[in-house]
Amino acid sequence: MSPGLESAQTATSEAFYVSAAKIYPREVQGRFNRIRRLAVVALLGLFYGVAWLQWNGHQALLFDLPARKFYVFGLTLWPQDFLYLALILIICALSLFFFTALAGRLWCGYACPQTVWTELFIWIEQWTEGSRAQRMKLDRSPWNLRKIVRKGGKQLLWITLAAYTGFTFVGYFLPIRSLGALLLLGSLGGWSLFWVFLYSLATYGNAGFLREQVCKYMCPYARFQSAMFDHDTLIISYDAPRGEPRGGRARHTDARALGLGDCIDCTLCVQACPTGIDIRQGLQYECIACAACIDACDQVMDKVGTPRGLIRYTTEHAQQGRPQRLLRPRLVVYSLLLLAMSGMLVFSLFTRVPLLVDVLRDRNALYREVHGDLIENSYQLKIINEDNLPHRFRVEATGLEQLQVAEPLRAIPVAAGSVINVAARLQVPAEQAQGVHSITLRVVAEDEATLSVRERSRFLGPER
Ligand code: SF4
Ligand code: SF4
């Protein structure tokens, strides 16, 4: 290879790969920071707390995959109840569309797990390594005891938090109390340990190191959220006509007389930005709408004595001085769909009967002639008691005159959340049984008449 070609290739690869510069977000105080802190505390409190809640003798929220049962606050969902899960997922997606169209990236700025855990990890970083300037100075300084203690303390806290997060996450899929006991005894199985380790590693890596890179390069939502925006969606924006031309000035000088705008070019909004962008360059896809730049700039405006809001929540129409519309077609469509799906979910949950019955006709014999000039068909019934209480069931059959259940099936005990198989034989006098008949089998709880399910089947007799 010629030296010229080699150097050209090196130059190309350098142009294609630029390592990301480390971002040291500046801590800011302000109203949006308070809201975000509140959201972080509430969401993390829910995540770490709900895993330990008990409900009717079960973990309140448990996705028990090995047993194929989901416990959701007193409701036990089975694989057959997939409809509810599908509805919940559709409602979550529609809510995301609705709130994005209404108020931009609210989810990213205040509720996304990446934001929430990154915020928590940054709090730890600030606590162990100090302010932005102190963190930058510490990184530049040579390794010494102070640096080892500060960096080591941060890593120890991060790893502990990440491990507890991984453990809690897996605790939503395996009962957390048993998981904790097994972990303490050192007898946690290979796969459980693997998942705890994997989720701990994901938390540690994403919140500790990748941070804004997840939002910029890995998150699919960042790519398509602009499709949900319109000219009346709330965005965080710099008021360029008011702020420009930017530039430093002495305190209490008349900026207008100097031909300057309100931006004093202090760069605090850039320093506060967790994704390292400059909002003054316009709306950028890297902006997660955390509003840290608003808080930073409002503090500056307070100090220099100009009105707040140089960076603020606004809309494109408001920026252009055009009328704003809250009710837009897409919002109406999203909210109608959201209402319909939520109504469907609530209705189906309220009318849900926690009993499932499968009827399987015995295919080995079309029919049997039995003593007493009767025609008999056999069936296998699978009774699934999805309730949290045990019940005793009876089986009834209708649809054909003088149809009866041979050896009446009564008081069949089925424990809570259990499945049993029952053999049922139905009989009809021979003169009634000729041909093919549609019949109905009803399984009903003897202690609760509303707990009943009807299943259709066929009764076969001799040809006419
Ligand atoms: S530009 Fe402002 S709102 Fe956007 S990510 Fe940066 S600090 Fe947050
Ligand atoms: S914080 Fe406000 S004043 Fe300072 S650079 Fe940013 S926009 Fe300008």
Side-chain angles (χ1 to χ4, degrees):
M1 187 186 292
S2 77
L5 184 58
E6 200 173 293
S7 65
Q9 281 188 345
T10 311
T12 312
S13 60
E14 276 172 6
F16 277 124
Y17 180 75
V18 181
S19 50
K22 185 173 175 184
I23 294 171
Y24 299 85
R26 187 188 187 95
E27 45 293 344
V28 285
Q29 303 302 326
R31 34 194 184 140
F32 297 110
N33 185 50
R34 278 195 293 280
I35 295 173
R36 199 170 46 261
R37 281 186 174 216
L38 218 63
V40 168
V41 170
L43 291 170
L44 288 178
L46 279 177
F47 174 76
Y48 292 118
V50 167
W52 294 96
L53 275 186
Q54 294 284 304
W55 199 290
N56 286 344
H58 287 293
Q59 192 169 316
L61 192 60
L62 178 67
F63 305 101
D64 191 347
L65 295 179
R68 294 184 181 81
K69 287 184 208 167
F70 292 177
Y71 299 100
V72 184
F73 298 101
L75 200 70
T76 307
L77 299 177
W78 294 60
Q80 293 85 344
D81 296 316
F82 178 77
L83 170 76
Y84 302 107
L85 189 63
L87 280 174
I88 289 169
L89 290 177
I90 293 171
I91 289 170
C92 289
L94 283 171
S95 306
L96 192 64
F97 296 166
F98 176 80
F99 286 109
T100 304
L102 182 72
R105 296 178 72 172
L106 269 190
W107 164 259
C108 301
Y110 299 93
C112 170
Q114 178 63 21
T115 304
V116 168
W117 265 281
T118 300
E119 189 83 11
L120 190 57
F121 272 54
I122 289 177
W123 291 348
I124 292 175
E125 196 167 64
Q126 287 169 357
W127 189 61
T128 49
E129 294 184 4
S131 67
R132 178 176 190 265
Q134 288 169 327
R135 296 201 301 275
M136 291 168 86
K137 193 171 162 204
L138 189 70
D139 275 0
R140 282 196 304 267
S141 69
W143 282 97
N144 52 31
L145 186 63
R146 183 175 162 276
K147 185 165 176 174
I148 291 171
V149 169
R150 287 186 176 266
K151 292 260 173 204
K154 176 181 84 172
Q155 291 298 333
L156 193 69
L157 288 173
W158 275 7
I159 290 168
T160 310
L161 182 63
Y164 189 67
T165 304
F167 163 74
T168 307
F169 187 82
V170 175
Y172 282 103
F173 296 89
L174 296 169
I176 197 163
R177 287 162 197 251
S178 335
L179 189 71
L182 289 173
L183 202 63
L184 287 177
L185 292 171
S187 50
L188 195 61
W191 276 112
S192 311
L193 207 56
F194 167 77
W195 289 116
V196 171
F197 176 74
L198 187 74
Y199 286 108
S200 308
L201 189 67
T203 310
Y204 177 69
N206 287 344
F209 298 97
L210 293 177
R211 294 189 178 174
E212 78 288 347
Q213 316 260 0
V214 175
C215 311
K216 280 186 184 177
Y217 306 116
M218 292 160 70
C219 176
Y221 174 56
R223 310 275 149 197
F224 70 80
Q225 45 94 20
S226 59
M228 288 168 255
F229 276 39
D230 60 26
H231 299 298
D232 289 301
T233 299
L234 271 188
I235 49 172
I236 291 175
S237 181
Y238 167 67
D239 188 344
R242 179 185 151 189
E244 300 296 317
R246 68 186 78 153
R249 80 273 331 243
R251 271 193 174 204
H252 308 302
T253 48
D254 183 359
R256 298 286 174 260
L258 295 171
L260 291 172
D262 280 350
C263 175
I264 63 167
D265 206 14
C266 62
T267 72
L268 284 188
C269 52
V270 185
Q271 293 174 33
C273 179
T275 64
I277 59 170
D278 185 346
I279 190 72
R280 296 172 300 170
Q281 289 171 4
L283 186 62
Q284 293 149 73
Y285 84 92
E286 294 97 332
C287 173
I288 57 165
C290 67
C293 53
I294 300 185
D295 283 336
C297 192
D298 279 352
Q299 281 182 344
V300 177
M301 293 297 110
D302 288 350
K303 277 192 191 137
V304 297
T306 39
R308 288 180 167 194
L310 179 56
I311 302 175
R312 62 177 182 273
Y313 275 103
T314 183
T315 68
E316 273 187 68
H317 273 163
Q319 282 177 320
Q320 295 157 3
R322 295 170 63 178
Q324 299 176 67
R325 288 177 311 152
L326 185 64
L327 269 185
R328 286 109 68 195
R330 73 173 61 199
L331 272 186
V332 174
V333 171
Y334 288 151
S335 43
L336 285 179
L337 283 173
L338 203 51
L339 269 178
M341 290 297 157
S342 308
M344 209 186 288
L345 179 66
V346 171
F347 177 77
S348 48
L349 281 175
F350 270 100
T351 54
R352 177 177 180 262
V353 176
L355 171 67
L356 279 174
V357 176
D358 271 346
V359 177
L360 197 64
R361 207 182 154 281
D362 181 5
R363 296 206 174 109
N364 291 327
L366 289 181
Y367 60 88
R368 264 188 306 277
E369 291 175 15
V370 294
H371 181 69
D373 201 19
L374 296 170
I375 300 296
E376 181 179 278
N377 281 201
S378 301
Y379 303 83
Q380 275 296 326
L381 270 65
K382 183 193 259 189
I383 303 175
I384 307 171
N385 178 13
E386 295 184 336
D387 204 6
N388 292 322
L389 297 169
H391 291 287
R392 290 180 176 275
F393 295 93
R394 70 169 180 272
V395 178
E396 297 167 356
T398 52
L400 197 52
E401 217 172 299
Q402 296 182 52
L403 177 68
Q404 57 183 9
V405 183
E407 294 163 18
L409 294 168
R410 293 188 174 282
I412 307 162
V414 188
S418 301
V419 184
I420 63 154
N421 288 302
V422 176
R425 290 183 294 119
L426 302 189
Q427 295 174 342
V428 174
E431 66 271 17
Q432 304 283 347
Q434 289 176 348
V436 180
H437 305 270
S438 179
I439 58 158
T440 302
L441 283 144
R442 178 176 178 242
V443 176
V444 56
E446 295 192 328
D447 53 346
E448 196 177 328
T450 53
L451 201 57
S452 119
V453 165
R454 291 170 198 274
E455 277 293 308
R456 295 185 74 80
S457 188
R458 289 186 312 158
F459 189 96
L460 302 186
E463 292 297 323
R464 289 173 205 270

